[in-house]
Amino acid sequence: MSDLTRTTAWAALQQHQHAIAPLHLRDLFARDPGRFERFSLQAGPLFLDYSKNRITDETLTLLLALARESQLPEWIERLFRGDRVNGTERRAALHTALRHRDHSPVLLDGTDVMPDVRRVLDQMRRFSESVRSGEWRGYTGQPITDVVNIGIGGSDLGPAMVVSALDADCGPLRLHFVSNVDGADLSLTLRRLNPAQTLFVIASKTFTTQETLLNARSARDWFLAQAGNPSHVARHFVAVSTHRDEVVRFGIDPAHMFEFWDWVGGRYSLWSAIGLPIALAIGMDRFDALLTGANEMDEHFRHSPLARNMPVLLGLLGVWYTNFFGAQTHAILPYDQGMHRFVSHIQQVVMESSGKNVTRDGRPVSCATGSVVWGGPGTNGQHAYFQLLHQGTPLIPADFLAPIESRTPLGEHHRVLLSNFLAQPEALMRGKTAQEVRVELERAGLKGDDIERLLPHRCFSGNRPSNTLLFQKLDARTLGALIALYEHKTFVQSVVWDINAFDQWGVELGKQLARDLLSELSGMPARAPHDASTSGLLDHVRKRLPSA
Ligand code: F6P
C-alpha cells in the first residue's frame, strides 16, 4: 500500500479536522435533533450510541473513504477466507473458524478446518462434563473441586476474564488462574488447595513459555510431594497446546492434550481449547453460547455495509482520534463488576496487535498506530482516574459499557449504577460553562472574589468524546459478541494503518535478554557486555541475593 498519509482521503480528513475542531458537541446536538438516531445502531445483542463523538456526517463519509482506500472490504474477506494475513509468520488468523456455527466448510489451503475444530470441541465437552459431574476422579478416588489454569498472556487473560465475567463460582468447580512467574502467584493459590482434588490445565500455545513451564513444573512438584507416584500425574494434569512434542516432553499424556493450531493467535485463542477452563467453569453449553455471540458479530462484520458496521465504525473513530486529534490512550469503562478483567484482555488484543512501527512490507509507518488501552469497572474509576477524563489536558476517548439488567439485583443498586453510567458520558460531552458555574455559585451564596477565584476550577470544557454500548444482560452470548467486536475493531485499524495485527515480535528482545541475565544471576559469565546501568543493577542484586 502507498503511504497512508499521502492518500486523498487522509488529506481530506486533515482539512476536515481543522473545520471540526472548534465545534462543540453540545452545539452539534442542539442543532441536529436526529443525531442520536443517525449515529447509533444495533448488532446482535449490542446497541451502540456513537453520537457523542466529535463527528458530523461528513466526518463519517471521509473516514469511510479512508477505509475503502485502505481496501478494508477486501481485507475483511481475506481474514475470513483464511488468507495468510499474518505475513511475518506466514499464517492465517482464522479465529473466526473456531466460532463458525453452520455446516459450511472453512478452508485453509484447500482443506476444511471444521472437522478438527468440532473434534476438539467434542473432546472439551466430554472432558468438562466428566469433571463437572464428578465422574472424573483424582488419584485417591475423590472428585475434582478445584481447577488451576497455568498460562500467561493469551493463554490466561481471555479465559480468566470470561470465567470471572460469567459467575463461574456458581458451578461445581472453583477456578484459579496462575500466570505470574513470581512464585507468590502459584504458592498463594496452592496454599488453599488439596492436591487430591485439584486439576491443572497447562495452557500454552508454544509450550515453551518460560513462566508457564516453570509454574507447571513447580505445580507438579507440589502435587507429587503428596501424591508420590508419578503415574498419578495423568489424572491431574492436562495440556492445551499446538505442540504435542513439547507436551509429551513435559510428561503429560497426549491423550489428555487439547489441541489447537498455529492459525489461532494467542490473544485470539480463548475460542479454542484455550477456553477449556471456561467450559469447566460454566459448562460447555454456555461456552457454545459464547461462540454463538462471537459468530453473530463475525457475520455482522463480514456482511454489513461499512457505514452500518459496528467494528468498522469503532475502528475508524479510533483512527480519527489517534491520527487527527493526537489521542494516545483509550479508556474502556464497563459498568459491570463481573467485567473487572475485561480491560486487561482487550488491552492485550489491542496493544499486542497494534504496537507496530513498520508497515506490512517493513517500511516505517508514517503515522501513529495503536493506543494505550486502560480503564476498569465503573463506578470505581469515577473516584480515581475520571478527574483526568473530565478536566485533564489529554483528549481521552472512552467506551462506556453496561447491562440494562443486573444478574445480581440488589435493591436500588443497579439503578444507581445505571444513573452513573448515563451521567458520565453526558458530563464529558456537555461540560459546564463559566456562566453555569457562576449561577451555581451565586445560588450557593458565594459572591464577588470568591466566585472569580473558584470559577476556573469549577468549569468543565466538555466536548470529550465517548461511545456507549448497552446490552440487556451480561450473558455468554453477549460477552462473546463484545469480545469479537473489539477483536474486529483492532483488525480494522490495522488495515488502515497497514500493519500486521497478528504478530508480536516486540516481546522477543526482553525474553532473550532475560535468558542471559538468568544465567548471570546464577554466577555464569556474561555472554555479551551490558550497558553500565544494567551491569550496575546486576551487581547490586547479586551482592544482596540470598543464596538459593
Ligand atoms: O510473549 C507474548 C506471548 O507470546 C503472547 O502473544 C502469548 O499470548 C503469550 O506469550 C503466551 O504464549 P504461549 O501460549 O505460547 O505460552
Side-chain angles (χ1 to χ4, degrees), residues 151-157 203-212 240-242 260 265-269 274 348 352 503-504 507-508 511:
I152 197 164
S155 301
D156 164 74
L157 291 165
S204 173
K205 178 175 172 181
T206 54
F207 231 76
T208 54
T209 302
Q210 185 192 41
E211 294 94 322
T212 299
V240 182
S241 186
T242 57
F260 66 113
R267 54 193 173 274
Y268 300 91
S269 64
I274 288 290
Q348 189 200 10
E352 248 187 8
D503 61 8
Q504 59 284 319
V507 300
E508 295 304 325
K511 288 185 194 173

PDB file of all heavy atoms in Angstrom, residues 151-157 203-212 240-242 260 265-269 274 348 352 503-504 507-508 511, ligand 1:
ATOM      1  N   GLY A 151      -1.049 -20.517  32.677  1.00  0.00           N
ATOM      2  CA  GLY A 151      -0.768 -19.978  31.345  1.00  0.00           C
ATOM      3  C   GLY A 151      -0.507 -18.491  31.511  1.00  0.00           C
ATOM      4  O   GLY A 151      -0.662 -17.937  32.600  1.00  0.00           O
ATOM      5  N   ILE A 152      -0.128 -17.832  30.436  1.00  0.00           N
ATOM      6  CA  ILE A 152       0.143 -16.387  30.547  1.00  0.00           C
ATOM      7  C   ILE A 152      -0.252 -15.711  29.237  1.00  0.00           C
ATOM      8  O   ILE A 152      -0.358 -16.381  28.201  1.00  0.00           O
ATOM      9  CB  ILE A 152       1.633 -16.147  30.914  1.00  0.00           C
ATOM     10  CG1 ILE A 152       1.863 -14.733  31.451  1.00  0.00           C
ATOM     11  CG2 ILE A 152       2.569 -16.430  29.744  1.00  0.00           C
ATOM     12  CD1 ILE A 152       3.200 -14.556  32.185  1.00  0.00           C
ATOM     13  N   GLY A 153      -0.489 -14.420  29.285  1.00  0.00           N
ATOM     14  CA  GLY A 153      -0.892 -13.679  28.077  1.00  0.00           C
ATOM     15  C   GLY A 153      -2.199 -14.251  27.550  1.00  0.00           C
ATOM     16  O   GLY A 153      -3.158 -14.450  28.298  1.00  0.00           O
ATOM     17  N   GLY A 154      -2.227 -14.571  26.270  1.00  0.00           N
ATOM     18  CA  GLY A 154      -3.452 -15.077  25.661  1.00  0.00           C
ATOM     19  C   GLY A 154      -3.898 -16.407  26.240  1.00  0.00           C
ATOM     20  O   GLY A 154      -5.063 -16.797  26.089  1.00  0.00           O
ATOM     21  N   SER A 155      -3.001 -17.118  26.894  1.00  0.00           N
ATOM     22  CA  SER A 155      -3.368 -18.408  27.479  1.00  0.00           C
ATOM     23  C   SER A 155      -3.871 -18.243  28.914  1.00  0.00           C
ATOM     24  O   SER A 155      -3.988 -19.232  29.657  1.00  0.00           O
ATOM     25  CB  SER A 155      -2.161 -19.348  27.443  1.00  0.00           C
ATOM     26  OG  SER A 155      -1.739 -19.516  26.110  1.00  0.00           O
ATOM     27  N   ASP A 156      -4.129 -17.005  29.274  1.00  0.00           N
ATOM     28  CA  ASP A 156      -4.606 -16.718  30.633  1.00  0.00           C
ATOM     29  C   ASP A 156      -5.688 -15.635  30.624  1.00  0.00           C
ATOM     30  O   ASP A 156      -6.777 -15.815  31.187  1.00  0.00           O
ATOM     31  CB  ASP A 156      -3.404 -16.247  31.482  1.00  0.00           C
ATOM     32  CG  ASP A 156      -3.801 -15.558  32.773  1.00  0.00           C
ATOM     33  OD1 ASP A 156      -4.236 -16.258  33.697  1.00  0.00           O
ATOM     34  OD2 ASP A 156      -3.684 -14.322  32.860  1.00  0.00           O
ATOM     35  N   LEU A 157      -5.374 -14.499  29.977  1.00  0.00           N
ATOM     36  CA  LEU A 157      -6.226 -13.309  30.148  1.00  0.00           C
ATOM     37  C   LEU A 157      -7.658 -13.516  29.669  1.00  0.00           C
ATOM     38  O   LEU A 157      -8.610 -13.127  30.356  1.00  0.00           O
ATOM     39  CB  LEU A 157      -5.601 -12.124  29.391  1.00  0.00           C
ATOM     40  CG  LEU A 157      -4.300 -11.593  29.996  1.00  0.00           C
ATOM     41  CD1 LEU A 157      -3.576 -10.688  28.997  1.00  0.00           C
ATOM     42  CD2 LEU A 157      -4.590 -10.826  31.273  1.00  0.00           C
ATOM     43  N   ALA A 203      -1.694 -24.425  29.960  1.00  0.00           N
ATOM     44  CA  ALA A 203      -2.139 -23.819  28.702  1.00  0.00           C
ATOM     45  C   ALA A 203      -1.024 -22.992  28.089  1.00  0.00           C
ATOM     46  O   ALA A 203      -0.613 -21.975  28.654  1.00  0.00           O
ATOM     47  CB  ALA A 203      -3.360 -22.934  28.974  1.00  0.00           C
ATOM     48  N   SER A 204      -0.535 -23.455  26.965  1.00  0.00           N
ATOM     49  CA  SER A 204       0.499 -22.674  26.275  1.00  0.00           C
ATOM     50  C   SER A 204       0.502 -23.072  24.810  1.00  0.00           C
ATOM     51  O   SER A 204       0.669 -24.249  24.485  1.00  0.00           O
ATOM     52  CB  SER A 204       1.869 -22.951  26.896  1.00  0.00           C
ATOM     53  OG  SER A 204       2.871 -22.331  26.138  1.00  0.00           O
ATOM     54  N   LYS A 205       0.319 -22.087  23.969  1.00  0.00           N
ATOM     55  CA  LYS A 205       0.306 -22.376  22.531  1.00  0.00           C
ATOM     56  C   LYS A 205       1.624 -23.040  22.120  1.00  0.00           C
ATOM     57  O   LYS A 205       1.641 -24.074  21.475  1.00  0.00           O
ATOM     58  CB  LYS A 205       0.085 -21.072  21.759  1.00  0.00           C
ATOM     59  CG  LYS A 205       0.091 -21.244  20.266  1.00  0.00           C
ATOM     60  CD  LYS A 205      -0.252 -19.963  19.547  1.00  0.00           C
ATOM     61  CE  LYS A 205      -0.024 -20.145  18.050  1.00  0.00           C
ATOM     62  NZ  LYS A 205      -0.309 -18.952  17.267  1.00  0.00           N
ATOM     63  N   THR A 206       2.733 -22.454  22.542  1.00  0.00           N
ATOM     64  CA  THR A 206       4.047 -22.968  22.134  1.00  0.00           C
ATOM     65  C   THR A 206       4.552 -24.078  23.055  1.00  0.00           C
ATOM     66  O   THR A 206       5.400 -24.867  22.669  1.00  0.00           O
ATOM     67  CB  THR A 206       5.067 -21.831  22.202  1.00  0.00           C
ATOM     68  OG1 THR A 206       4.995 -21.259  23.523  1.00  0.00           O
ATOM     69  CG2 THR A 206       4.777 -20.762  21.164  1.00  0.00           C
ATOM     70  N   PHE A 207       4.077 -24.084  24.260  1.00  0.00           N
ATOM     71  CA  PHE A 207       4.563 -24.961  25.332  1.00  0.00           C
ATOM     72  C   PHE A 207       6.064 -24.789  25.579  1.00  0.00           C
ATOM     73  O   PHE A 207       6.774 -25.717  25.959  1.00  0.00           O
ATOM     74  CB  PHE A 207       4.224 -26.438  25.063  1.00  0.00           C
ATOM     75  CG  PHE A 207       3.548 -27.073  26.250  1.00  0.00           C
ATOM     76  CD1 PHE A 207       2.223 -26.813  26.529  1.00  0.00           C
ATOM     77  CD2 PHE A 207       4.249 -27.922  27.122  1.00  0.00           C
ATOM     78  CE1 PHE A 207       1.595 -27.360  27.646  1.00  0.00           C
ATOM     79  CE2 PHE A 207       3.635 -28.472  28.238  1.00  0.00           C
ATOM     80  CZ  PHE A 207       2.293 -28.190  28.488  1.00  0.00           C
ATOM     81  N   THR A 208       6.531 -23.573  25.334  1.00  0.00           N
ATOM     82  CA  THR A 208       7.932 -23.272  25.640  1.00  0.00           C
ATOM     83  C   THR A 208       8.022 -22.000  26.483  1.00  0.00           C
ATOM     84  O   THR A 208       9.116 -21.554  26.795  1.00  0.00           O
ATOM     85  CB  THR A 208       8.739 -23.034  24.342  1.00  0.00           C
ATOM     86  OG1 THR A 208       8.080 -22.020  23.589  1.00  0.00           O
ATOM     87  CG2 THR A 208       8.884 -24.291  23.512  1.00  0.00           C
ATOM     88  N   THR A 209       6.901 -21.419  26.821  1.00  0.00           N
ATOM     89  CA  THR A 209       6.924 -20.143  27.547  1.00  0.00           C
ATOM     90  C   THR A 209       7.486 -20.346  28.950  1.00  0.00           C
ATOM     91  O   THR A 209       6.989 -21.162  29.731  1.00  0.00           O
ATOM     92  CB  THR A 209       5.498 -19.540  27.598  1.00  0.00           C
ATOM     93  OG1 THR A 209       5.057 -19.382  26.253  1.00  0.00           O
ATOM     94  CG2 THR A 209       5.470 -18.200  28.295  1.00  0.00           C
ATOM     95  N   GLN A 210       8.552 -19.597  29.225  1.00  0.00           N
ATOM     96  CA  GLN A 210       9.329 -19.810  30.453  1.00  0.00           C
ATOM     97  C   GLN A 210       8.457 -19.790  31.713  1.00  0.00           C
ATOM     98  O   GLN A 210       8.526 -20.690  32.551  1.00  0.00           O
ATOM     99  CB  GLN A 210      10.392 -18.704  30.536  1.00  0.00           C
ATOM    100  CG  GLN A 210      11.351 -18.846  31.692  1.00  0.00           C
ATOM    101  CD  GLN A 210      12.169 -17.565  31.882  1.00  0.00           C
ATOM    102  OE1 GLN A 210      11.649 -16.448  31.782  1.00  0.00           O
ATOM    103  NE2 GLN A 210      13.445 -17.739  32.169  1.00  0.00           N
ATOM    104  N   GLU A 211       7.641 -18.764  31.840  1.00  0.00           N
ATOM    105  CA  GLU A 211       6.847 -18.602  33.060  1.00  0.00           C
ATOM    106  C   GLU A 211       5.897 -19.784  33.247  1.00  0.00           C
ATOM    107  O   GLU A 211       5.761 -20.337  34.339  1.00  0.00           O
ATOM    108  CB  GLU A 211       6.004 -17.322  32.985  1.00  0.00           C
ATOM    109  CG  GLU A 211       6.787 -16.033  32.959  1.00  0.00           C
ATOM    110  CD  GLU A 211       7.042 -15.540  31.540  1.00  0.00           C
ATOM    111  OE1 GLU A 211       7.290 -16.380  30.647  1.00  0.00           O
ATOM    112  OE2 GLU A 211       7.018 -14.305  31.339  1.00  0.00           O
ATOM    113  N   THR A 212       5.232 -20.168  32.158  1.00  0.00           N
ATOM    114  CA  THR A 212       4.219 -21.229  32.255  1.00  0.00           C
ATOM    115  C   THR A 212       4.876 -22.562  32.593  1.00  0.00           C
ATOM    116  O   THR A 212       4.392 -23.313  33.446  1.00  0.00           O
ATOM    117  CB  THR A 212       3.447 -21.313  30.920  1.00  0.00           C
ATOM    118  OG1 THR A 212       2.818 -20.056  30.715  1.00  0.00           O
ATOM    119  CG2 THR A 212       2.421 -22.425  30.935  1.00  0.00           C
ATOM    120  N   VAL A 240      -3.116 -27.831  27.051  1.00  0.00           N
ATOM    121  CA  VAL A 240      -3.737 -27.216  25.882  1.00  0.00           C
ATOM    122  C   VAL A 240      -2.606 -26.588  25.088  1.00  0.00           C
ATOM    123  O   VAL A 240      -1.875 -25.739  25.616  1.00  0.00           O
ATOM    124  CB  VAL A 240      -4.744 -26.116  26.278  1.00  0.00           C
ATOM    125  CG1 VAL A 240      -5.388 -25.541  25.031  1.00  0.00           C
ATOM    126  CG2 VAL A 240      -5.796 -26.649  27.228  1.00  0.00           C
ATOM    127  N   SER A 241      -2.414 -27.028  23.866  1.00  0.00           N
ATOM    128  CA  SER A 241      -1.263 -26.535  23.116  1.00  0.00           C
ATOM    129  C   SER A 241      -1.384 -26.845  21.625  1.00  0.00           C
ATOM    130  O   SER A 241      -2.242 -27.633  21.213  1.00  0.00           O
ATOM    131  CB  SER A 241       0.013 -27.198  23.662  1.00  0.00           C
ATOM    132  OG  SER A 241       1.150 -26.648  23.043  1.00  0.00           O
ATOM    133  N   THR A 242      -0.490 -26.222  20.850  1.00  0.00           N
ATOM    134  CA  THR A 242      -0.374 -26.602  19.438  1.00  0.00           C
ATOM    135  C   THR A 242       0.812 -27.556  19.258  1.00  0.00           C
ATOM    136  O   THR A 242       1.071 -28.013  18.165  1.00  0.00           O
ATOM    137  CB  THR A 242      -0.111 -25.349  18.561  1.00  0.00           C
ATOM    138  OG1 THR A 242       1.067 -24.702  19.041  1.00  0.00           O
ATOM    139  CG2 THR A 242      -1.267 -24.366  18.623  1.00  0.00           C
ATOM    140  N   PHE A 260      -4.869 -27.125  19.586  1.00  0.00           N
ATOM    141  CA  PHE A 260      -5.313 -26.082  18.658  1.00  0.00           C
ATOM    142  C   PHE A 260      -4.207 -25.864  17.640  1.00  0.00           C
ATOM    143  O   PHE A 260      -3.275 -26.672  17.587  1.00  0.00           O
ATOM    144  CB  PHE A 260      -5.853 -24.834  19.372  1.00  0.00           C
ATOM    145  CG  PHE A 260      -4.894 -24.015  20.180  1.00  0.00           C
ATOM    146  CD1 PHE A 260      -4.556 -22.735  19.784  1.00  0.00           C
ATOM    147  CD2 PHE A 260      -4.346 -24.489  21.368  1.00  0.00           C
ATOM    148  CE1 PHE A 260      -3.706 -21.937  20.542  1.00  0.00           C
ATOM    149  CE2 PHE A 260      -3.492 -23.715  22.127  1.00  0.00           C
ATOM    150  CZ  PHE A 260      -3.170 -22.442  21.703  1.00  0.00           C
ATOM    151  N   GLY A 265      -4.099 -17.118  16.791  1.00  0.00           N
ATOM    152  CA  GLY A 265      -3.155 -16.282  17.531  1.00  0.00           C
ATOM    153  C   GLY A 265      -3.414 -16.389  19.027  1.00  0.00           C
ATOM    154  O   GLY A 265      -4.562 -16.578  19.453  1.00  0.00           O
ATOM    155  N   GLY A 266      -2.362 -16.254  19.841  1.00  0.00           N
ATOM    156  CA  GLY A 266      -2.510 -16.394  21.300  1.00  0.00           C
ATOM    157  C   GLY A 266      -3.620 -15.521  21.863  1.00  0.00           C
ATOM    158  O   GLY A 266      -4.474 -15.978  22.622  1.00  0.00           O
ATOM    159  N   ARG A 267      -3.627 -14.248  21.471  1.00  0.00           N
ATOM    160  CA  ARG A 267      -4.612 -13.318  22.054  1.00  0.00           C
ATOM    161  C   ARG A 267      -6.002 -13.492  21.454  1.00  0.00           C
ATOM    162  O   ARG A 267      -6.948 -12.829  21.862  1.00  0.00           O
ATOM    163  CB  ARG A 267      -4.110 -11.878  21.948  1.00  0.00           C
ATOM    164  CG  ARG A 267      -3.719 -11.451  20.537  1.00  0.00           C
ATOM    165  CD  ARG A 267      -2.938 -10.144  20.560  1.00  0.00           C
ATOM    166  NE  ARG A 267      -2.400  -9.779  19.255  1.00  0.00           N
ATOM    167  CZ  ARG A 267      -1.238 -10.195  18.775  1.00  0.00           C
ATOM    168  NH1 ARG A 267      -0.490 -11.027  19.486  1.00  0.00           N
ATOM    169  NH2 ARG A 267      -0.800  -9.792  17.609  1.00  0.00           N
ATOM    170  N   TYR A 268      -6.097 -14.347  20.445  1.00  0.00           N
ATOM    171  CA  TYR A 268      -7.397 -14.636  19.825  1.00  0.00           C
ATOM    172  C   TYR A 268      -7.812 -16.083  20.120  1.00  0.00           C
ATOM    173  O   TYR A 268      -8.606 -16.662  19.392  1.00  0.00           O
ATOM    174  CB  TYR A 268      -7.307 -14.434  18.306  1.00  0.00           C
ATOM    175  CG  TYR A 268      -6.916 -13.021  17.925  1.00  0.00           C
ATOM    176  CD1 TYR A 268      -5.581 -12.668  17.760  1.00  0.00           C
ATOM    177  CD2 TYR A 268      -7.882 -12.025  17.773  1.00  0.00           C
ATOM    178  CE1 TYR A 268      -5.223 -11.367  17.435  1.00  0.00           C
ATOM    179  CE2 TYR A 268      -7.531 -10.722  17.448  1.00  0.00           C
ATOM    180  CZ  TYR A 268      -6.201 -10.401  17.279  1.00  0.00           C
ATOM    181  OH  TYR A 268      -5.854  -9.112  16.964  1.00  0.00           O
ATOM    182  N   SER A 269      -7.221 -16.671  21.183  1.00  0.00           N
ATOM    183  CA  SER A 269      -7.355 -18.120  21.332  1.00  0.00           C
ATOM    184  C   SER A 269      -8.387 -18.571  22.357  1.00  0.00           C
ATOM    185  O   SER A 269      -8.577 -19.777  22.540  1.00  0.00           O
ATOM    186  CB  SER A 269      -5.987 -18.734  21.691  1.00  0.00           C
ATOM    187  OG  SER A 269      -5.554 -18.264  22.944  1.00  0.00           O
ATOM    188  N   ILE A 274      -8.029 -23.322  24.404  1.00  0.00           N
ATOM    189  CA  ILE A 274      -7.571 -22.427  25.486  1.00  0.00           C
ATOM    190  C   ILE A 274      -8.766 -22.038  26.355  1.00  0.00           C
ATOM    191  O   ILE A 274      -8.626 -21.703  27.533  1.00  0.00           O
ATOM    192  CB  ILE A 274      -6.841 -21.186  24.879  1.00  0.00           C
ATOM    193  CG1 ILE A 274      -5.465 -21.593  24.327  1.00  0.00           C
ATOM    194  CG2 ILE A 274      -6.710 -20.046  25.883  1.00  0.00           C
ATOM    195  CD1 ILE A 274      -4.408 -21.969  25.365  1.00  0.00           C
ATOM    196  N   GLN A 348      -4.476  -6.605  25.848  1.00  0.00           N
ATOM    197  CA  GLN A 348      -3.554  -7.466  25.098  1.00  0.00           C
ATOM    198  C   GLN A 348      -3.946  -7.516  23.617  1.00  0.00           C
ATOM    199  O   GLN A 348      -3.111  -7.406  22.728  1.00  0.00           O
ATOM    200  CB  GLN A 348      -3.488  -8.897  25.662  1.00  0.00           C
ATOM    201  CG  GLN A 348      -2.355  -9.684  24.980  1.00  0.00           C
ATOM    202  CD  GLN A 348      -2.456 -11.211  25.069  1.00  0.00           C
ATOM    203  OE1 GLN A 348      -3.482 -11.737  25.486  1.00  0.00           O
ATOM    204  NE2 GLN A 348      -1.421 -11.898  24.658  1.00  0.00           N
ATOM    205  N   GLU A 352      -0.923  -5.677  21.742  1.00  0.00           N
ATOM    206  CA  GLU A 352      -0.013  -6.600  21.047  1.00  0.00           C
ATOM    207  C   GLU A 352      -0.255  -6.534  19.545  1.00  0.00           C
ATOM    208  O   GLU A 352       0.654  -6.737  18.750  1.00  0.00           O
ATOM    209  CB  GLU A 352      -0.210  -8.041  21.553  1.00  0.00           C
ATOM    210  CG  GLU A 352       0.998  -8.531  22.332  1.00  0.00           C
ATOM    211  CD  GLU A 352       0.972  -9.991  22.742  1.00  0.00           C
ATOM    212  OE1 GLU A 352       0.097 -10.769  22.332  1.00  0.00           O
ATOM    213  OE2 GLU A 352       1.873 -10.375  23.498  1.00  0.00           O
ATOM    214  N   ASP A 503       1.179 -10.555  14.538  1.00  0.00           N
ATOM    215  CA  ASP A 503       2.477 -10.996  15.082  1.00  0.00           C
ATOM    216  C   ASP A 503       2.786 -10.166  16.330  1.00  0.00           C
ATOM    217  O   ASP A 503       2.026  -9.264  16.690  1.00  0.00           O
ATOM    218  CB  ASP A 503       3.592 -10.923  14.020  1.00  0.00           C
ATOM    219  CG  ASP A 503       3.812  -9.503  13.488  1.00  0.00           C
ATOM    220  OD1 ASP A 503       3.224  -8.558  14.045  1.00  0.00           O
ATOM    221  OD2 ASP A 503       4.571  -9.346  12.527  1.00  0.00           O
ATOM    222  N   GLN A 504       3.873 -10.454  17.015  1.00  0.00           N
ATOM    223  CA  GLN A 504       4.232  -9.717  18.234  1.00  0.00           C
ATOM    224  C   GLN A 504       5.721  -9.850  18.500  1.00  0.00           C
ATOM    225  O   GLN A 504       6.139 -10.310  19.548  1.00  0.00           O
ATOM    226  CB  GLN A 504       3.409 -10.188  19.456  1.00  0.00           C
ATOM    227  CG  GLN A 504       3.507 -11.660  19.856  1.00  0.00           C
ATOM    228  CD  GLN A 504       2.738 -12.576  18.970  1.00  0.00           C
ATOM    229  OE1 GLN A 504       1.624 -12.256  18.564  1.00  0.00           O
ATOM    230  NE2 GLN A 504       3.317 -13.713  18.599  1.00  0.00           N
ATOM    231  N   VAL A 507       7.892  -8.593  21.729  1.00  0.00           N
ATOM    232  CA  VAL A 507       8.032  -9.201  23.061  1.00  0.00           C
ATOM    233  C   VAL A 507       9.311 -10.046  23.149  1.00  0.00           C
ATOM    234  O   VAL A 507       9.656 -10.533  24.219  1.00  0.00           O
ATOM    235  CB  VAL A 507       6.807 -10.084  23.420  1.00  0.00           C
ATOM    236  CG1 VAL A 507       5.527  -9.260  23.412  1.00  0.00           C
ATOM    237  CG2 VAL A 507       6.679 -11.268  22.459  1.00  0.00           C
ATOM    238  N   GLU A 508      10.015 -10.199  22.019  1.00  0.00           N
ATOM    239  CA  GLU A 508      11.104 -11.173  21.993  1.00  0.00           C
ATOM    240  C   GLU A 508      12.403 -10.694  22.630  1.00  0.00           C
ATOM    241  O   GLU A 508      13.081 -11.454  23.303  1.00  0.00           O
ATOM    242  CB  GLU A 508      11.378 -11.626  20.547  1.00  0.00           C
ATOM    243  CG  GLU A 508      10.233 -12.395  19.914  1.00  0.00           C
ATOM    244  CD  GLU A 508       9.824 -13.633  20.728  1.00  0.00           C
ATOM    245  OE1 GLU A 508      10.709 -14.269  21.329  1.00  0.00           O
ATOM    246  OE2 GLU A 508       8.623 -13.933  20.782  1.00  0.00           O
ATOM    247  N   LYS A 511      12.700 -11.165  26.272  1.00  0.00           N
ATOM    248  CA  LYS A 511      12.810 -12.587  26.640  1.00  0.00           C
ATOM    249  C   LYS A 511      14.254 -13.057  26.450  1.00  0.00           C
ATOM    250  O   LYS A 511      14.806 -13.755  27.310  1.00  0.00           O
ATOM    251  CB  LYS A 511      11.910 -13.445  25.737  1.00  0.00           C
ATOM    252  CG  LYS A 511      10.429 -13.307  25.988  1.00  0.00           C
ATOM    253  CD  LYS A 511       9.681 -14.303  25.112  1.00  0.00           C
ATOM    254  CE  LYS A 511       8.204 -14.017  25.053  1.00  0.00           C
ATOM    255  NZ  LYS A 511       7.474 -14.834  24.102  1.00  0.00           N
TER     256      LYS A 511
HETATM  257  O1  F6P B   1       5.092 -13.200  24.988  1.00  0.00           O
HETATM  258  C1  F6P B   1       3.896 -12.909  24.343  1.00  0.00           C
HETATM  259  C2  F6P B   1       3.114 -14.148  24.050  1.00  0.00           C
HETATM  260  O2  F6P B   1       3.697 -14.834  23.004  1.00  0.00           O
HETATM  261  C3  F6P B   1       1.670 -13.838  23.759  1.00  0.00           C
HETATM  262  O3  F6P B   1       1.440 -13.427  22.471  1.00  0.00           O
HETATM  263  C4  F6P B   1       1.016 -15.106  24.134  1.00  0.00           C
HETATM  264  O4  F6P B   1      -0.353 -14.958  24.304  1.00  0.00           O
HETATM  265  C5  F6P B   1       1.749 -15.438  25.408  1.00  0.00           C
HETATM  266  O5  F6P B   1       3.068 -15.017  25.164  1.00  0.00           O
HETATM  267  C6  F6P B   1       1.717 -16.873  25.839  1.00  0.00           C
HETATM  268  O6  F6P B   1       2.267 -17.712  24.879  1.00  0.00           O
HETATM  269  P1  F6P B   1       2.031 -19.282  24.960  1.00  0.00           P
HETATM  270  O7  F6P B   1       0.577 -19.537  24.881  1.00  0.00           O
HETATM  271  O8  F6P B   1       2.785 -19.847  23.800  1.00  0.00           O
HETATM  272  O9  F6P B   1       2.597 -19.760  26.273  1.00  0.00           O
END
